[in-house]
């Protein structure tokens, strides 16, 4: 059954990517949303059912707004084409709807709750693949979007993503707020340099994938679990530390380059104040990344345990390791290849 759901998610995203009509794009987004619902509620726990319900309600609301915006646009322009959206009202409504689908502030409150209620691998899907389709639509309509409104949403996302993750102890919630913060960085250059925004979201997906896979392989769900990670798998612990610091945007790791280019673009556009505020917001995110890093790698002496616990044996899964290794290496050492 899982393979059918994953096929539905894949087909929905492909349909959105290749579509030129709002109706077809809406259909793809609906297919995408409905296909992931069984995966979210798969564990049959009250919290996962609650997460699936919240996800369904928010995505349905966003889909209604997309239909409303595209209908108003079709009524004004006489076409359902995605690239034709000259009026401010439909473009504003569309931006709000797509931001809600991606989990950008101020329509972000559903994302931490949904990710907390699911398994780590489903949370990975929600925070990465499910953002691709809305991001493609935003990229296509970026020249019609209200730039001031997009900038404000970007600043809000970076700050709320930073503040929200501060006092969290569950890693899925921390990664959710990290996702919100990263969406803020993506939206900062959406109207002036959309290709840079797409590069930022691509790098974010590249960074998040091995992070979640490592957490899933070691069954690490809270900060308390992190404290015992070094004694069971020092290599996974070290790699996780590098991945988190890369996501925080520290040089010379991969995650630093998109942030540097976005700040450079903001200063080029004479938005120096916005660049300074965004940089300050990234320090908020850095606090909880460093806290996880401290617990993971700097709290315990580097000695290996002789006990073979159940979750240590999970690290021997060859198929998962084949995915983690190349993505983790790219996430930490691909900096020179990203420079334009």
């Amino acid at each position: 059954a899982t393979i059918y759901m994953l096929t539905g998610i894949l087909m929905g995203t492909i349909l959105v990517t290749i579509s030129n009509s709002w109706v077809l794009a809406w259909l793809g987004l609906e297919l995408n949303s409905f296909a992931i619902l069984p995966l979210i509620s798969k564990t049959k726990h009250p919290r996962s059912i609650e997460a699936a319900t919240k996800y369904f309600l928010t995505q349905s609301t966003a889909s209604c707004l997309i239909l409303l915006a595209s209908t108003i646009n079709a009524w004004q322009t006489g076409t359902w084409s995605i690239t034709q959206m000259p009026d401010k009202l439909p473009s504003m409504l569309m931006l709000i709807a797509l931001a809600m689908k991606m989990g950008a502030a101020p329509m972000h409150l559903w994302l931490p709750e949904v990710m907390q209620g699911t398994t780590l691998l489903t949370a990975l899907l929600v925070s990465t693949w499910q953002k691709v389709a809305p991001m493609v639509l935003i990229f296509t309509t970026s020249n019609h979007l209200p730039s001031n409104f997009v900038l404000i949403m970007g600043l809000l996302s970076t700050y709320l993503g930073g503040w929200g993750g501060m006092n969290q102890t569950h890693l899925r919630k921390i990664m959710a707020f990290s996702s919100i913060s990263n969406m803020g960085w993506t939206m900062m250059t959406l109207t002036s340099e959309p290709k840079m925004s797409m590069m930022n979201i691509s790098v974010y997906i590249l960074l998040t994938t091995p992070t979640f896979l490592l957490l899933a392989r070691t069954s690490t769900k809270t900060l308390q679990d992190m404290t015992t990670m070094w004694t069971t798998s020092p290599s996974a612990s070290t790699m996780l530390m590098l991945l988190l610091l890369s996501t925080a945007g520290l040089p010379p790791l991969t995650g630093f380059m998109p942030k540097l280019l976005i700040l450079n673009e903001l200063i080029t556009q004479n938005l120096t104040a916005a660049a300074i505020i965004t940089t300050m917001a990234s320090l908020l995110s850095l606090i909880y990344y460093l806290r996880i890093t401290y617990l993971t790698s700097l709290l315990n002496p580097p000695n290996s345990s002789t006990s073979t616990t159940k979750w240590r044996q999970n690290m021997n899964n060859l198929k998962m390791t084949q995915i983690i290794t190349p993505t983790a290496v790219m996430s930490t050492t691909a900096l020179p290849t990203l420079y334009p």
Side-chain angles (χ1 to χ4, degrees), residues 233-288:
S233 182
S235 55
S237 177
T238 308
M239 184 48 75
L240 190 60
M241 176 190 75
L242 290 171
L243 286 169
L244 290 168
L245 292 178
S246 185
T247 313
L250 287 186
L253 301 168
T254 304
F256 169 67
M257 186 50 72
K259 287 182 168 57
L260 179 66
L261 292 174
I262 286 169
L263 291 174
N264 181 54
E265 177 62 27
L266 287 173
I267 292 166
T268 306
Q269 298 288 334
N270 288 326
L271 295 167
T272 312
I276 292 169
I277 294 168
T278 316
T279 312
M280 297 289 282
S282 71
L283 295 176
L284 297 173
S285 303
L286 184 61
I287 290 171
Y288 56 78

Side-chain angles (χ1 to χ4, degrees), residues 27-222:
L27 195 67
L29 288 169
E30 285 297 287
L31 178 61
N32 209 337
S33 299
F34 282 116
I36 202 172
L37 284 173
L39 294 179
I40 295 173
S41 58
K42 191 178 179 182
T43 52
K44 300 293 183 292
H45 188 274
R47 185 168 282 175
S48 65
I49 304 298
E50 181 188 338
T53 308
K54 285 176 179 174
Y55 186 81
F56 170 72
L57 290 173
T58 50
Q59 299 298 309
S60 300
T61 308
S63 294
C64 288
L65 275 175
I66 288 171
L67 268 185
L68 175 65
S70 55
T71 307
I72 293 171
N73 186 60
W75 179 49
Q76 288 176 338
T77 61
T79 177
W80 289 95
S81 174
I82 292 174
T83 53
Q84 304 296 319
M85 194 173 272
D87 198 67
K88 283 184 179 179
L89 177 63
S91 60
M92 180 82 81
L93 284 171
M94 191 61 72
L95 175 63
I96 291 168
L98 293 172
M100 189 186 292
K101 276 202 169 285
M102 289 189 301
M107 288 74 66
H108 67 287
L109 293 171
W110 64 271
L111 187 62
E113 300 297 323
V114 168
M115 284 177 66
Q116 178 58 27
T118 62
T119 62
L120 281 162
L121 293 177
T122 311
L124 168 65
L125 270 179
V126 171
S127 63
T128 55
W129 186 257
Q130 293 299 91
K131 292 185 191 297
V132 173
M135 200 64 221
V136 166
L137 291 175
I138 281 189
F139 178 74
T140 312
T141 58
S142 58
N143 59 324
H144 294 302
L145 298 177
S147 54
N148 291 341
F149 193 68
V150 173
L151 199 63
I152 290 166
M153 285 178 75
L155 288 170
L156 265 177
S157 296
T158 50
Y159 262 95
L160 291 172
W163 281 116
M166 284 248 195
N167 61 346
Q168 300 296 334
T169 56
H170 288 273
L171 290 170
R172 278 166 295 184
K173 273 198 173 180
I174 289 174
M175 293 306 292
F177 282 109
S178 164
S179 173
I180 293 162
S181 177
N182 198 274
M183 283 312 306
W185 279 92
T186 303
M187 295 186 85
M188 294 303 288
T189 54
L190 205 52
T191 51
S192 57
E193 192 62 50
K195 288 180 183 177
M196 200 175 291
S197 294
M198 293 302 284
M199 186 188 80
N200 184 62
I201 197 78
S202 303
V203 170
Y204 168 73
I205 290 171
L206 180 69
L207 295 170
T208 308
T209 304
T211 307
F212 266 108
L213 292 177
L214 272 174
L215 294 175
R217 278 302 93 202
T218 54
S219 300
T220 308
K221 295 175 183 175
T222 62

Side-chain angles (χ1 to χ4, degrees), residues 273-323:
I276 292 169
I277 294 168
T278 316
T279 312
M280 297 289 282
S282 71
L283 295 176
L284 297 173
S285 303
L286 184 61
I287 290 171
Y288 56 78
Y289 288 126
L290 284 177
R291 184 173 60 165
I292 300 171
T293 303
Y294 177 71
L295 288 173
T296 308
S297 305
L298 304 174
L299 204 59
N300 295 311
N303 54 359
S304 295
S305 172
T306 53
S307 63
T308 52
T309 56
K310 184 182 177 182
W311 60 282
R312 186 176 182 174
Q313 291 167 358
N314 280 345
M315 287 302 292
N316 297 326
N317 187 317
L318 184 62
K319 189 178 289 185
M320 191 66 80
T321 309
Q322 287 172 344
I323 302 169

